[in-house]
Structure formats: structure tokens, C-alpha cells
Amino acid sequence: MRRYATLFEVRKSGILLVRALSDTVNRLSIQDGPAILAGSTPSTIGHAISQALNLSRENLPAPKPGDLLNEETMAMFRHAGVRSWQGFDRAVRSVAISQDESGYSVQPEANTPDQGFIPMPEESIALPLASSESDLGRVASEALQKATFYSE
């Protein structure tokens, strides 16, 4: 099973949040589970990413209207100091992390006004599955520095 998570950095505070991404039966990827505060050291960031990856699921039922604004999402908004998805998108930069039997892929994203978060495949970094949480956190932090914040 391929697992997914996203590492977010809040522009104003520098807070790092990690959240699992799960796939629905209709192939929609949704933020899932709690927002995990990641700390600031490579080991705490890597640990938070590992926790989120373990929460990633497949074949969830298709979300109903309002399902995506649950308490876990609202808590993530509070950490970012915003009240909506639009506010959140404008407040953060992100790194997409995936894990499968061959290892990890860590990819920064460009946050664009017209298309949202766009993967930056030329900046993708692969790590072996046996990598330590500290190595995963270090690489994710480096990728975060290449990711971009929203700007008009």
C-alpha cells in the first residue's frame, strides 16, 4: 500500500504541521486524521511524518458535503491562524511525502494563485525505506525550503 502525508509550514508562525492524505473510493485524495505538530528538529519532523503516513488509508467512502470541514480540519486551521481552506492555502507552503515498499518520495510543492499546490518533480528526493526518522525529517526540511508560499 502506498501511503501519503503532507508537511505544511505556516508562513507567519513557522509552525510545522503534518497531516495524512487518504484516498477515497472515487480516487479523491483528502486530508485525513489529526494535524500533527512536527516540532523543529529533524527527528521530531521525521517522527510526525511517520505518524501521519501510518494514518494514511485507502478506499474511504466518498465525502459528503461538510465532511471535509470536520474538527480535525478546524484544529489545523486554528494552528495556522485561519478559518477556511482558502485562508489555509494562502498561509502555508508544503511538501508531499509518499511511502511504499521501495522507500520514500519527498517532493516540494509550488503554491500558485491559479492552480493551488503544484508538485515540483525536478526537486523530488528519494530515500530508502530503511532511512531513519531523522533522515526523513532532514530531507523534508530541505524540500520545504524549495517549496513556495502563495503570492499574487
Side-chain angles (χ1 to χ4, degrees):
M1 175 179 147
R2 192 164 192 82
R3 297 175 182 271
Y4 302 93
T6 307
L7 170 64
F8 298 103
E9 179 185 9
V10 179
R11 184 189 319 234
K12 287 183 181 178
S13 64
I15 288 174
L16 300 179
L17 302 167
V18 184
R19 195 145 185 223
L21 274 177
S22 293
D23 290 332
T24 66
V25 292
N26 57 355
R27 297 197 175 282
L28 176 68
S29 290
I30 59 171
Q31 296 288 325
D32 190 23
I36 302 166
L37 289 168
S40 60
T41 66
S43 61
T44 60
I45 295 166
H47 183 70
I49 291 168
S50 293
Q51 287 180 300
L53 289 168
N54 286 330
L55 294 172
S56 179
R57 302 179 286 169
E58 292 181 325
N59 298 317
L60 294 179
K64 297 179 182 98
D67 283 356
L68 301 179
L69 285 177
N70 56 33
E71 181 51 39
E72 292 165 331
T73 298
M74 298 309 289
M76 182 176 71
F77 290 171
R78 284 191 295 276
H79 285 302
V82 300
R83 296 183 188 175
S84 67
W85 278 112
Q86 182 181 27
F88 186 78
D89 289 351
R90 290 178 179 212
V92 300
R93 63 179 169 180
S94 64
V95 171
I97 301 114
S98 64
Q99 173 198 7
D100 63 16
E101 62 281 345
S102 66
Y104 299 95
S105 173
V106 180
Q107 186 173 108
E109 297 177 317
N111 189 347
T112 66
D114 53 343
Q115 295 179 320
F117 296 95
I118 305 297
M120 300 167 69
E122 69 282 359
E123 300 290 348
S124 185
I125 302 164
L127 284 172
L129 192 56
S131 297
S132 68
E133 287 183 345
S134 186
D135 286 341
L136 179 58
R138 179 184 49 76
V139 167
S141 294
E142 291 169 2
L144 198 55
Q145 298 312 307
K146 296 175 183 176
T148 61
F149 284 109
Y150 179 97
S151 67
E152 294 187 38

